[in-house]
Amino acid sequence: MLIGIPAILSPELLKVLCEMGHTDELTIGDGNFPGHTYGQKVIRMDGHGVAEILAAILQVFPLDTYEEHPVTLMAVVPGDKVETPIWEQYKEIVAKYDDRGAGCFEEIDKWKFYEKTKEKSSVVIMTSEKALYANIILKKGVVV
C-alpha cells in the first residue's frame, strides 16, 4: 500500500499511468464500450463507474496544458434521444484539477472516438458504468 494514492488505482493501472509520457492518451470506457476491440491494452475495473475512476486518476495524472482540449467525449449520435448528465459530473471533477474546467472538453463523432482510442490510447480502462455516452479520453500533460 502507498500513502496518498487513491485505493481504487490498482498496481497495474499505476504502472501504465507512470509509463505514459506527455501527450499519451488513455480511454475510460463505460460498460458498453468495446474496449477489447479498440484497446491495445485493457484494464478491467468492474464494479466501478467512470466518474470515480476519473477523479482518482486526475489525482496523479496531469492534463496536457499545451492542448486546448485534453479531454474528449463521445458525441451523441444525431437522432439518438440520450441525455448525458454524467458529463456535468466530469466537468466538475476536471475543474478540481485543471483551471480550464469545462474548457478542456471536446466532443467527437462516435466512430472517430473509436478510431482515436485504437490509434492513440495507451490503455482502455473498462468500467461497469451504466450511463450511455459515458466514455472519455484523457491526454497526459507534463509533471512539474
Side-chain angles (χ1 to χ4, degrees):
M1 294 189 64
L2 299 171
I3 297 170
I5 304 292
I8 193 173
L9 300 179
S10 68
E12 180 185 17
L13 180 54
L14 283 170
K15 180 180 185 297
V16 171
L17 296 176
C18 189
E19 291 173 343
M20 291 175 67
H22 180 225
T23 74
D24 283 346
E25 298 181 1
L26 68 81
T27 299
I28 308 172
D30 62 31
N32 290 299
F33 190 77
H36 292 280
T37 299
Y38 293 102
Q40 298 173 32
K41 177 173 182 55
V42 176
I43 294 178
R44 299 211 52 102
M45 294 188 74
D46 299 294
H48 297 287
V50 173
E52 66 181 311
I53 295 167
L54 174 64
I57 287 173
L58 289 178
Q59 290 181 51
V60 299
F61 185 99
L63 294 174
D64 191 350
T65 56
Y66 296 99
E67 178 77 26
E68 183 178 359
H69 303 291
V71 181
T72 304
L73 299 172
M74 179 187 285
V76 176
V77 173
D80 202 344
K81 304 271 190 259
V82 174
E83 298 293 324
T84 56
I86 197 164
W87 291 2
E88 293 308 312
Q89 290 179 40
Y90 296 171
K91 290 172 184 171
E92 290 173 15
I93 292 165
V94 168
K96 292 178 185 177
Y97 300 97
D98 193 296
D99 293 337
R100 297 171 291 176
C104 288
F105 289 75
E106 70 174 344
E107 296 175 30
I108 62 172
D109 169 83
K110 171 182 176 175
W111 300 108
K112 288 181 181 174
F113 191 99
Y114 287 151
E115 183 178 313
K116 183 176 172 106
T117 295
K118 187 172 188 170
E119 291 179 3
K120 295 191 175 190
S121 283
S122 298
V123 64
V124 173
I125 301 163
M126 292 301 302
T127 72
S128 295
E129 181 63 58
K130 291 182 181 177
L132 301 177
Y133 294 98
N135 310 299
I136 188 168
I137 297 173
L138 306 177
K139 182 175 282 201
K140 189 175 185 181
V142 175
V143 176
V144 290

